[in-house]
Amino acid sequence: MKSADCDILVVPGYTSSGPDHWQSRWQERLSTARRVTQESWDHPEPEAWRDAVIAAVQAATRPAVLVAHSLGVIACVQAAPYLPKGSVAGAFLVALPDVERPDTPAPLRSFAPIPREPLAFPSVLVTSRTDPYTAYDRAGEFAAAWGAELVDAGESGHLNVESGHGPWPEGLMRFAGFLRAL
């Protein structure tokens, strides 16, 4: 699949993705990409975030490809059972936060539990061995439950601007390969 053949839905995480974040940069660069906006980036509500993903997929005019980061990954996985069959061509999921951990910040705890049902579309979960919000093995458990390919991003932190992943060209190359395989 080419990017022109799909609607790329960028699903940021908690507090959104700023202008230097790889998601914002990809959104600017990919002509069919648009951001899934949330009613509140700073006070996330699971049902509202899930419903925003569902609405964005329903509004797509071509098969949707989800590009989610952090809490956006959980919103996509929570939305998956409600999405019309065949409406999502695939999901590129990056830096899942384990909101089931006891040290999860209060605003994010309501996103637990994280669904463990298989996704009805191809997906990859890109995760780092040094992500402060999820242990690598734990991310692997979720990838296996969802039927997602686990992609080892090495020692890359949370794969955001703070960890040095502004443009993230390696991720864009991986995403291009994922699109070609759809």
Side-chain angles (χ1 to χ4, degrees):
M1 173 176 284
K2 296 178 183 175
S3 63
D5 300 330
C6 61
D7 284 342
I8 298 170
L9 303 178
V10 175
V11 187
Y14 181 52
T15 71
S16 191
S17 295
D20 294 328
H21 194 284
W22 60 266
Q23 280 187 310
S24 299
R25 291 170 183 244
W26 291 11
Q27 182 181 342
E28 288 177 11
R29 187 172 179 184
L30 300 168
S31 64
T32 62
R34 63 186 165 87
R35 184 171 298 238
V36 175
T37 57
Q38 298 296 346
E39 189 174 308
S40 174
W41 292 110
D42 298 324
H43 304 286
E45 305 244 349
E47 295 80 17
W49 279 44
R50 176 200 68 205
D51 291 348
V53 173
I54 294 167
V57 169
Q58 290 173 336
T61 58
R62 295 169 284 224
V65 175
L66 304 171
V67 177
H69 180 259
S70 197
L71 199 59
V73 171
I74 298 174
C76 289
V77 173
Q78 290 177 341
Y82 302 96
L83 299 172
K85 186 174 183 173
S87 61
V88 174
F92 190 79
L93 310 171
V94 180
L96 165 74
D98 186 355
V99 295
E100 296 176 1
R101 289 178 12 175
D103 63 342
T104 298
L108 311 182
R109 285 188 199 133
S110 61
F111 281 77
I114 301 170
R116 287 165 172 78
E117 292 77 26
L119 299 175
F121 40 80
S123 59
V124 299
L125 175 60
V126 181
T127 193
S128 162
R129 292 187 175 272
T130 55
D131 191 322
Y133 305 112
T134 302
Y136 183 80
D137 291 344
R138 182 90 161 136
E141 292 172 15
F142 286 107
W146 299 335
E149 175 189 354
L150 182 66
V151 175
D152 185 343
E155 296 184 4
S156 302
H158 193 53
L159 294 157
N160 58 9
V161 174
E162 289 76 19
S163 65
H165 295 85
W168 195 32
E170 300 87 357
L172 188 57
M173 288 173 47
R174 171 64 77 166
F175 178 64
F178 176 68
L179 278 181
R180 277 192 302 274
L182 297 179

